């Protein structure tokens, strides 16, 4: 089961202190989504992260920086797809090692094909970071769809993810989960680094527990 962290949409005081501590605790994939950043702002953000962790970073914008900083890859949406990128940059000299995409319905996933390493599906639960962004998925429909692993890409649960939801996500059949508000919202309010790191560590421990369970029953 993949464990992913997505950046807060806006900047937070001491954001890099927390992020780098979480990298040290074993975070393997970080989605850097700052939609309003200029290219120079994105470069400055990346350069505050130790180079050792650069290959764990997935960008949502300014994809030309992926090669420059040896980042993990690119994340696209319906508003700006991989095809749009190729049309805008026809002479782009390299392919991305990682591709992912955001969708919001089972039907959309059925039409997406297999070009992506994984798909973010949201909102699975009511959002923590985006008030009013509530889940409308039917649990039984999700479970039936996710059970058929042969005819779909990996699906990552996004929105409203907390430690109390990990086993629900596993039981539904998701291939992983993405954290956002559970880490950043509380930290933005209280600036408690250790408590924020411990929230991540608790999730990571639960994910490992799920993986151990899977290995025993395989």
């Amino acid at each position: 089961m993949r464990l992913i962290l997505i950046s807060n949409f806006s900047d937070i005081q001491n954001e890099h202190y927390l992020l780098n501590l979480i990298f040290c605790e074993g975070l393997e994939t970080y989605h850097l989504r700052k939609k309003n950043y200029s290219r120079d702002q994105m470069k400055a953000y990346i350069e505050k992260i130790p180079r050792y962790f650069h290959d764990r970073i997935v960008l949502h914008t300014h994809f030309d920086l992926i090669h420059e900083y040896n980042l993990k890859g690119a994340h696209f949406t319906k508003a700006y797809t991989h095809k749009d990128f190729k049309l805008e940059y026809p002479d782009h000299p390299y392919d991305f090692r990682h591709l992912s995409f955001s969708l919001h319905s089972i039907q959309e996933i059925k039409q997406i094909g297999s070009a992506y390493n994984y798909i973010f599906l949201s909102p699975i639960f009511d959002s923590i970071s985006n008030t009013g962004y509530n889940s409308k998925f039917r649990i039984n429909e999700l479970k039936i769809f996710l059970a058929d692993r042969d005819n779909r890409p990996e699906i990552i649960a996004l929105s409203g993810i907390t430690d109390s939801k990990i086993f629900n996500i596993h039981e539904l059949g998701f291939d992983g989960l993405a954290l956002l508000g559970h880490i950043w919202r509380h930290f933005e309010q209280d600036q408690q680094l250790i408590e924020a790191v411990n929230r991540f560590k608790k999730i990571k421990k639960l994910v490992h527990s799920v993986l151990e369970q899977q290995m025993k029953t395989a």
Side-chain angles (χ1 to χ4, degrees):
M1 179 180 279
R2 295 182 188 267
L3 174 55
I4 296 163
L5 177 63
I6 301 174
S7 68
N8 199 58
F9 303 142
S10 57
D11 291 342
I12 296 176
Q13 183 182 355
N14 295 319
E15 184 171 334
H16 280 85
Y17 286 113
L18 175 55
L19 175 59
N20 289 329
L21 285 172
I22 289 177
F23 271 130
C24 290
E25 291 295 337
L27 176 66
E28 295 182 354
T29 304
Y30 180 61
H31 277 248
L32 179 44
R33 181 192 176 192
K34 301 283 188 179
K35 290 198 298 183
N36 297 323
Y37 265 20
S38 67
R39 188 176 186 276
D40 286 343
Q41 284 176 307
M42 189 64 77
K43 288 182 68 170
Y45 189 103
I46 294 168
E47 287 169 3
K48 290 179 183 177
I49 300 170
R51 191 175 301 174
Y52 179 79
F53 299 128
H54 283 186
D55 64 357
R56 306 183 192 186
I57 299 171
V58 177
L59 287 188
H60 285 221
T61 53
H62 304 295
F63 301 120
D64 57 308
L65 297 177
I66 293 170
H67 180 68
E68 183 174 339
Y69 288 95
N70 192 32
L71 307 182
K72 184 168 186 170
H75 183 88
F76 293 94
T77 66
K78 289 186 291 183
Y80 189 80
T81 66
H82 193 205
K83 184 178 179 181
D84 294 327
F85 176 82
K86 288 183 175 181
L87 288 172
E88 187 173 355
Y89 299 95
D91 299 321
H92 200 270
Y94 56 90
D95 289 324
F96 300 114
R97 290 182 287 125
H98 165 95
L99 289 173
S100 51
F101 204 87
S102 290
L103 291 172
H104 307 285
S105 73
I106 290 171
Q107 192 58 40
E108 288 174 319
I109 294 174
K110 290 178 178 178
Q111 297 170 358
I112 197 69
S114 57
Y116 298 94
N117 294 81
Y118 53 72
I119 305 294
F120 283 158
L121 184 62
S122 67
I124 301 306
F125 306 104
D126 294 351
S127 175
I128 299 169
S129 59
N130 189 0
T131 304
Y133 187 50
N134 297 332
S135 178
K136 296 178 182 177
F137 286 101
R138 292 192 290 270
I139 297 301
N140 288 340
E141 184 181 7
L142 260 180
K143 199 166 186 176
I144 291 168
F145 171 69
L146 292 171
D148 186 5
R149 296 179 179 275
D150 294 332
N151 297 309
R152 62 168 178 80
E154 287 193 16
I155 311 296
I156 307 299
L158 173 61
S159 188
I161 310 297
T162 66
D163 54 284
S164 65
K165 302 291 200 310
I166 304 305
F167 289 104
N168 300 80
I169 290 166
H170 169 60
E171 288 298 316
L172 283 170
F174 281 98
D175 301 289
L177 57 102
L179 299 172
L180 202 165
H182 185 60
I183 299 298
W184 298 115
R185 175 58 66 88
H186 298 297
F187 181 65
E188 185 175 21
Q189 293 170 348
D190 63 26
Q191 285 290 297
Q192 295 297 313
L193 278 168
I194 300 304
E195 289 185 14
V197 171
N198 284 340
R199 281 195 297 275
F200 175 79
K201 288 169 69 175
K202 185 175 183 179
I203 296 276
K204 182 184 174 187
K205 185 176 180 180
L206 289 168
V207 168
H208 283 177
S209 175
V210 165
L211 290 172
E212 287 174 2
Q213 221 174 36
Q214 288 176 331
M215 291 175 67
K216 288 177 182 177
T217 56

